[in-house]
Amino acid sequence: MNELELLIDFYRNHDLLGPGSEATTLQALDLIPDARNRSLQIADIGCGTGASTLTLARYTRAQITAVDLFPAFLETLQRRVAHLGLQDRVTTLEKSMDDLPFAPESLDVIWSEGAIYNMGFQAGVSAWYEFLKPGGYLAVSEITWITQDRPASVAEFWQAEYPQIDTAAPKFSILEQAGYTPIGYFVLPKGDWMNHYYAPLEASFTDFLERHGQAAEAQALVREQQNEIRLYREYQDYYSYGFYLARKNG
Ligand code: SAH
């Protein structure tokens, strides 16, 4: 298996592929007026195995298109959808987030948790704008500095991983320039990182390594994950995910 195949194999059976939780998805959902009761058209972009998709499906009456680049994640999501009997509410779509087939002004809500970094926050919010109805909502979580200053070591790590990492105010500015009005923001709690995301990953390392016969590439992947977790443990007061809610003008 190459590096990408290993990464997909590592994540495909996890419920959550980035920091988050049901409570966080609902906190963001409830910033959108009456979102639980309207029959909304929602796209969940970079849905992974569908953590947020399933929460949105369970707590709203929406029709949801769950988009991801990798079919293995969508297969897991389809199984979960079938298990919960939500097939009539959730459709999966294997597509890249920078090449979406939605009709202009066809969506009420664009949702994306921990995924927009794949095309970059600025490019993402600009590209997705046309698919939203006027007055439609964008709900996006994105890694964010939560203090004005930070130690060089953590700054260097995240600058290298994701050069668009920033504090929240410049992200609001990007949203405003792209034609949105920011309507809400909150920072994901530490439990969304450690308990909901990193703990299940840590618990799966041994199995994953055994499954791949302790292959060097598999060990490298685990080391990289462990490194990221160590960094979070040490520097969690400096960064988190921010959840950005914005309304398309007009
Ligand atoms: N929203 C999910 C997954 C977050 S991880 C969760 O919170 O659990 C980021 C996701 O983006 C992964 O599922 C990955 O497969 C997907 N992804 C990466 N590049 C992508 C692209 N170009 N287009 C669509 N999805 C992409």
Side-chain angles (χ1 to χ4, degrees):
M1 277 193 192
N2 65 31
E3 207 177 310
L4 179 63
E5 288 166 339
L6 277 172
L7 200 66
I8 291 169
D9 182 70
F10 177 70
Y11 277 114
R12 63 184 301 163
N13 291 319
H14 282 286
D15 291 342
L16 195 59
L17 276 48
S21 63
E22 181 178 284
T24 285
T25 298
L26 292 176
Q27 189 177 344
L29 180 70
D30 288 335
L31 291 168
I32 298 174
D34 204 27
R36 296 197 192 207
N37 299 312
R38 288 188 284 151
S39 298
L40 302 170
Q41 289 290 336
I42 303 181
D44 187 357
I45 302 178
C47 62
T49 55
S52 53
T53 311
L54 295 175
T55 301
L56 295 172
R58 287 172 52 227
Y59 287 90
T60 72
R61 299 163 46 203
Q63 288 296 330
I64 305 168
T65 306
V67 186
D68 206 275
L69 187 57
F70 298 115
F73 297 153
L74 295 175
E75 280 162 25
T76 303
L77 170 54
Q78 277 159 357
R79 274 200 304 277
R80 299 171 78 189
V81 164
H83 182 71
L84 294 167
L86 291 166
Q87 299 94 320
D88 56 336
R89 306 267 313 290
V90 177
T91 311
T92 59
L93 177 64
E94 184 190 331
K95 267 284 177 188
S96 183
M97 60 174 72
D98 56 9
D99 182 29
L100 296 171
F102 299 113
E105 303 192 351
S106 60
L107 298 171
D108 296 293
V109 177
I110 291 180
W111 205 272
S112 183
E113 294 196 25
I116 199 171
Y117 72 89
N118 286 295
M119 69 183 289
F121 187 85
Q122 182 152 29
V125 303
S126 303
W128 300 347
Y129 179 87
E130 67 164 315
F131 305 125
L132 279 176
K133 297 176 186 171
Y137 292 90
L138 182 69
V140 172
S141 74
E142 159 91 335
I143 193 154
T144 301
W145 295 125
I146 53 178
T147 59
Q148 288 300 313
D149 299 298
R150 59 209 65 97
S153 46
V154 65
E156 279 160 22
F157 176 88
W158 280 114
Q159 280 296 338
E161 286 289 312
Y162 185 53
Q164 286 188 38
I165 187 169
D166 213 332
T167 50
K171 301 281 179 192
F172 295 137
S173 185
I174 288 169
L175 287 166
E176 288 172 337
Q177 280 164 29
Y180 301 91
T181 300
I183 60 151
Y185 172 73
F186 63 93
V187 172
L188 270 63
K190 290 175 179 174
D192 281 12
W193 290 76
M194 282 317 309
N195 308 337
H196 293 284
Y197 179 47
Y198 285 147
L201 293 192
E202 280 182 318
S204 74
F205 289 155
T206 308
D207 244 28
F208 173 74
L209 289 172
E210 275 173 17
R211 203 158 69 235
H212 294 283
Q214 312 291 330
E217 296 83 356
Q219 294 194 38
L221 186 151
V222 167
R223 267 200 310 277
E224 217 171 281
Q225 297 284 343
Q226 287 169 325
N227 192 31
E228 193 189 305
I229 297 171
R230 255 198 310 277
L231 194 87
Y232 181 75
R233 280 212 172 88
E234 187 166 355
Y235 296 111
Q236 55 188 279
D237 292 334
Y238 298 96
Y239 64 94
S240 185
Y241 266 73
F243 220 126
Y244 298 83
L245 280 291
R247 184 174 182 272
K248 176 174 173 170
N249 294 334

